[in-house]
Amino acid sequence: MIKEKKSDAIMEKLEYLGLDMQNIPSNITNVKPIRLSIPKAYDEKQYKQYKYISIKDIQILLSPTNRLDPIEEKYKKASPLADYLDSDSEENFVKHTTFLNMLRKFKIRDVENIEEEQENLNKRIPFKVKFQGNYLWQIYYSEITDQYFMLVPTEDTDYSTFFYLLKKKIENKKTGKIFVPIRNLDYNNPILKKSEIEDIGNYMWIFTKSWPLIYEVYDKEDRLSIHIIGETEVYQKITSQYKIKIESEIKANQFYKLLKAMFILQTELPHYFEFKTNVNKYGEIEFYVEDRKIQYSNIAEWLNSEYLIGEEKLDKTEELVKNNKEKLEKLKQEIAKQEIEYLAKEKQISTFLECKKTFFGKFKYFFKYSGKSYKSKMKNINNAFEDNLNNNDDDEPIKKRKKQKENYNIEEIVDLYKNLEQNETELKDIVMDINALKLKNKNMKKKIENATAFIEEIDSHKKSIFEFWKYSNKDEVASLPEGEEEEVNVIKKITKVFNYVEDLEKFGIEMDKRQRRNLSKEETDSVYLTTTDVLEVLNKIKNNDVTPRDIESNLRDLKMQARKEKVLLDSEEFDIFGGIAQDNTKVSNLNNKKHREMPKDKFNILEINKNTNQIGYKLILEKKVQIIKKALTKVKISEDIPVYKAIINDKINYKDINIFNINPEKELKEILITGANQINFYKINLKEGSNAISFTNCIFYDNQNRTLPIGQDLSTKILTDISKVKIKLQSKKLFNVVDFKNKNDDFSDIYTKTICVYEYDIV
């Protein structure tokens, strides 16, 4: 009985395939010998070519192996399909039995799905080129015998592509083609060399921080195009899909040169050139530098403008180097003069202390330091320094650069900016030396001033030379006062920037600790309501524009939800359990951490029961708004942090209690699901100490048992009232994101969504 069922199933499938086991078509039995050469560095998981291939040109081989086995083993054990269809020959008995088992296992619906997929592929090539079942196509090409063949592993579990191809070969349509990836093939190189394709992959990684997939794709007429598919950052860490399609050698050469030029500039001169990416409305990647779009058609013009900008900067830097060198030299001379003057005063004190012991010594001291000869000597020293300074003013003028050219190349740009970098480094070093000498100069002036005062008092104070040193150095300055340091444009301050990927966990822990310490249960309960669908009516209450209909509608919806969740029963006038909805011994998991706390319940917080009326409900809402406003004054954020809010075709209402997201990717993802094409994306740079309440664990759970994990594990959102602060628009930017109309369909149309970013600072 079981055998009859199996036999019927096999007959049904043979009939579906159109295969008569007693009359095998000649296009299956007539096989040509195949010789396959396998490249040493061949990777079966990486496809490089996709083609439309005529079904009649594909020979089928079966191999008693698994799909993941090495190609050498699969090819070595392979036999023609005809051997597996041979039911008469004893030597092919095992192979025929294997074929029957494969026949039993395959599902007709799977083959029909492949057929639908290939019908779609015959109409269009997917945006990403690859499709859901592409790995199932074990199609190889032998360059030696110029032959395509399908290698079917009999130990696999999915035979849908094999039986689809077999069905089509039996139909024997002359024009039938399939679109598949070709294994065992490297890039063909008619448009781009293999080395150039590898370079493009490296270049694209530099600009997008993501490795692209690069395919050679042949259409039905066997025309080749290069498809480059990848993902790029379009705003901070928000990414978008992109695709580049190159159909001619000229366009390929231009694109390669553009990437190479940008790569050289960014890697050789990272302080001056950083190229950003965006996606246009067609899903193609674009390159920008300082908001200027860079294309091959305008790169010569851009290089010329950058050369002239660099030349102007170099002229200014060289002038600054010259001026600061002169300033440095004057400071050196002045300090040298001060040191001589100071040493002279030190010697004078030492001489006085020695000479004052005798009458003749005092007379000698007076004669040496009070006469005209000493004053003349000091005057000659000062004149000598002045002459030396004047002689240094005859420096050679800055050499003029060669005459301007009509066009400048990459090498000239690199040389110019390398020279500029050296000059800026030299200028930075000179300015540091000047600041150090300014400090020394100030201290020497103070020492000389103190020494002079000491000499004036020397007759009335019996002091030693050690007292002199101590007295003259008593006002030494450790560093220049603020405002006296000179700054150069090449020196940039490094400030910490909040990274939501790396810093959110630490931020969430700190905020959760603060909120548990500063907020009461009533306040965390009220804040929890802003995470629910009650937020809209809460904001209407806050802004005094709520209507009785709003209250009625919201209350009706809440009661309906409560009945569905069975927390509001018609037979009970009140909930006898209150906030205890479950046994407090029940263990739950939060981010892989166990706890015994209960989630907050909006119905209990709002005191919803079947007798709740509109007036009572409105009074409760008004009370909750006041509690939320008070709670916001109790919590301040622990560091500077940017927050984000996406709105569809509208502006942000600054009077609302606004919910922002710390993670811009999640915020944008939530809004993209709605299908909106025009999105306003607000970024507010909150300062450390700003009032805000982050949606940490204590906002979503009670903590009666003191087992709730600390952190922000359930949400990346944050509540803030920006109506209480003054904000200033800093920038406005547009970027596009590629999206698919149906993410589960390989053949889905793409469309781009325009995001307008408004960035504000709190002032």
Side-chain angles (χ1 to χ4, degrees), residues 510-526:
E510 175 60 29
M511 290 299 291
D512 202 21
K513 288 178 180 178
R514 291 188 180 201
Q515 289 167 188
R516 294 187 192 199
R517 184 170 61 245
N518 297 334
L519 300 180
S520 65
K521 182 180 184 303
E522 186 179 35
E523 287 168 336
T524 57
D525 284 350
S526 300

Side-chain angles (χ1 to χ4, degrees), residues 31-44:
V31 296
K32 298 178 182 178
I34 296 172
R35 292 174 58 197
L36 183 65
S37 175
I38 303 167
K40 291 182 180 179
Y42 174 62
D43 182 5
E44 277 210 88

Side-chain angles (χ1 to χ4, degrees), residues 342-354 356-357 369 450-451 454-455 458 461-473:
Y342 178 71
L343 289 172
K345 290 185 181 296
E346 185 184 53
K347 186 177 180 182
Q348 182 179 351
I349 300 300
S350 179
T351 303
F352 171 77
L353 293 173
E354 183 64 31
K356 66 182 281 189
K357 296 176 182 178
Y369 290 100
N450 292 338
F454 187 92
I455 289 171
I458 204 164
H461 296 278
K462 295 178 181 179
K463 298 185 178 181
S464 68
I465 188 67
F466 300 105
E467 289 176 300
F468 168 74
W469 286 334
K470 184 178 179 181
Y471 184 84
S472 62
N473 286 293

Side-chain angles (χ1 to χ4, degrees), residues 19-51:
L19 178 60
D20 183 354
M21 298 294 289
Q22 304 303 318
N23 187 19
I24 308 298
S26 59
N27 63 345
I28 294 175
T29 55
N30 295 336
V31 296
K32 298 178 182 178
I34 296 172
R35 292 174 58 197
L36 183 65
S37 175
I38 303 167
K40 291 182 180 179
Y42 174 62
D43 182 5
E44 277 210 88
K45 296 180 181 178
Q46 179 62 54
Y47 307 132
K48 296 179 179 178
Q49 287 192 26
Y50 278 78
K51 286 187 175 183

Side-chain angles (χ1 to χ4, degrees), residues 169 249 272 292 301 333 440 452 630 750:
K169 286 186 76 69
E249 189 174 353
Y272 302 101
R292 178 171 178 175
E301 176 191 345
Q333 295 289 347
K440 187 173 182 180
T452 303
K630 183 180 178 182
I750 68 156

Side-chain angles (χ1 to χ4, degrees), residues 316-327:
K316 290 180 180 178
T317 307
E318 287 179 342
E319 186 67 29
L320 284 170
V321 168
K322 177 177 177 293
N323 294 338
N324 280 278
K325 276 184 176 179
E326 292 174 358
K327 189 184 295 186

Side-chain angles (χ1 to χ4, degrees), residues 582 585-590 593-597 599 701:
Q582 63 184 34
T585 61
K586 184 178 179 181
V587 177
S588 301
N589 275 297
L590 187 61
K593 298 171 186 174
K594 294 181 179 181
H595 69 92
R596 294 182 290 106
E597 306 303 336
Y701 279 87

